């Protein structure tokens, strides 16, 4: 009797993958034209073969069809260049600050990496302050480096020191959902009140509202978004708004 051989099913977008699985259709696309594919988090090209480096669902970006990644419930952050992150200043050494961004290594930021900073006009940054910054350098061989300005030396948006407010930790895939093109979290949660929000790709969310009640409501609403489809979000926001009116 011949021994039966089990051929593993071919993976496609939406499939559940395990660490080490080969994604053959991506390998074929890269072989045909390397510019057709951008490998996001969880996918790696080694020895001319695309493999998964973590467990989760294989996803494809609707706005960028050539971008693929592995979506999973992850709280451990791996620093990536150009990511916007929220960090906590932990130490000051000479002309640089050390910042905890939740990665395996603390990041550094120069005092000149702030808008308008000079040798005489140094930024007022204290240990314990929150920073909303962009990763200028992220490499496995070097510690991450942050900046609080864009390429023109200007502080874009909330980049810089975040004063007041409330910080909470969220799963990384929820942050990607909130920062997805076409999803405006402030517009979606507008009924809960006026607020400022900073979304760090390292899973930290900073919220500053007019009152403690509004802050708690917005934080709870953001937590619920993790498990909801877009068509369910508005109904949930209305429920939270009605509950707030009862107090």
């Amino acid at each position: 009797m011949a021994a039966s051989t089990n051929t593993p099913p071919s993976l496609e977008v939406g499939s559940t993958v395990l660490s080490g699985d080969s994604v053959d259709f991506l390998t074929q696309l890269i072989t045909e034209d390397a510019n057709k594919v951008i490998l996001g988090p969880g996918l790696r090209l080694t020895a001319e073969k695309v493999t998964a480096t973590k467990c989760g669902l294989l996803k494809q970006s609707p706005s960028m069809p050539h971008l693929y990644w592995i979506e999973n419930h992850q709280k451990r952050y791996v620093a990536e260049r150009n990511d916007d992150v929220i960090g906590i200043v932990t130490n000051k050494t000479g002309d640089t600050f050390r910042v905890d961004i939740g990665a395996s290594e603390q990041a550094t930021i120069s005092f000149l990496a702030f808008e308008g900073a000079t040798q005489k006009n140094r930024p007022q940054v204290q240990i314990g302050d929150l920073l909303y910054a962009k990763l200028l350098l992220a490499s496995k061989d070097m510690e991450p480096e942050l900046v609080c300005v864009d390429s023109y030396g200007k502080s874009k948006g909330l980049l810089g020191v975040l004063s007041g407010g409330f910080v909470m930790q969220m799963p990384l895939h929820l942050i990607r959902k909130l920062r997805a093109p076409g999803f405006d979290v402030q517009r979606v949660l507008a009924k809960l009140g006026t607020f400022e929000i900073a979304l760090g790709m390292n899973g930290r969310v900073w919220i500053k509202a007019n009152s403690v009640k509004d802050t708690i409501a917005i934080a709870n609403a953001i937590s619920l978004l993790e498990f909801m489809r877009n068509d369910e979000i508005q109904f949930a926001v209305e429920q939270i708004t009605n509950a707030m009116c009862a107090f």
Side-chain angles (χ1 to χ4, degrees):
M1 182 176 178
S4 61
T5 58
N6 294 325
T7 303
S10 59
L11 297 176
E12 57 185 15
V13 174
S15 299
T16 300
V17 299
L18 300 177
S19 180
D21 283 352
S22 298
V23 188
D24 295 333
F25 81 94
L26 290 181
T27 302
Q28 183 177 354
L29 288 176
I30 290 178
T31 302
E32 295 172 356
D33 185 358
N35 295 324
K36 283 185 178 180
V37 179
I38 296 178
L39 300 180
L43 295 172
R44 179 181 298 171
L45 178 63
T46 54
E48 299 183 354
K49 182 173 68 173
V50 177
T51 57
T53 59
K54 60 183 180 181
C55 306
L57 296 177
L58 180 60
K59 292 286 189 176
Q60 180 182 18
S61 172
S63 59
M64 298 176 61
H66 54 293
L67 174 61
Y68 299 85
W69 73 94
I70 303 296
E71 186 80 70
N72 70 345
H73 190 283
Q74 178 181 341
K75 288 191 174 182
R76 178 179 177 271
Y77 175 65
V78 179
E80 294 285 345
R81 189 172 181 269
N82 290 328
D83 275 359
D84 295 328
V85 296
I86 296 176
I88 304 171
V89 179
T90 60
N91 196 10
K92 179 181 179 182
T93 55
D95 293 336
T96 62
F97 301 96
R98 296 192 65 82
V99 183
D100 174 22
I101 59 173
S104 57
E105 292 282 344
Q106 290 198 357
T108 61
I109 184 170
S110 169
F111 75 91
L112 292 174
F114 294 83
E115 183 179 14
T118 62
Q119 289 286 352
K120 293 184 178 180
N121 183 28
R122 299 199 173 203
Q124 298 298 316
V125 180
Q126 307 296 329
I127 294 176
D129 283 351
L130 285 175
L131 292 182
Y132 190 45
K134 184 178 290 292
L135 273 163
L136 179 66
L137 177 65
S139 169
K140 63 180 181 179
D141 301 317
M142 301 176 65
E143 61 184 9
E145 183 179 345
L146 302 171
V147 291
C148 286
V149 291
D150 58 16
S151 57
Y152 298 100
K154 299 295 182 181
S155 178
K156 184 179 179 181
L158 292 173
L159 288 177
V161 178
L162 299 174
S163 58
F166 170 74
V167 179
M168 61 181 182
Q169 186 75 33
M170 291 283 108
L172 302 187
H173 71 274
L174 175 58
I175 301 298
R176 287 193 288 268
K177 177 180 179 179
L178 298 177
R179 292 177 61 106
F183 190 95
D184 186 350
V185 65
Q186 286 185 297
R187 178 184 57 79
V188 171
L189 303 180
K191 290 186 177 181
L192 300 180
T194 304
F195 64 96
E196 291 181 286
I197 187 169
L199 302 170
M201 292 301 293
N202 55 341
R204 290 175 181 160
V205 179
W206 175 82
I207 304 167
K208 187 175 183 180
N210 294 328
S211 65
V212 175
K213 182 179 73 172
D214 290 350
T215 301
I216 294 173
I218 293 165
N220 288 336
I222 290 175
S223 300
L224 292 174
L225 297 183
E226 178 182 358
F227 308 104
M228 291 185 176
R229 301 189 305 271
N230 290 342
D231 57 342
E232 298 174 330
I233 292 174
Q234 200 60 43
F235 177 71
V237 171
E238 291 178 358
Q239 284 188 315
I240 295 174
T241 304
N242 294 335
M244 289 174 61
C245 294
F247 289 96

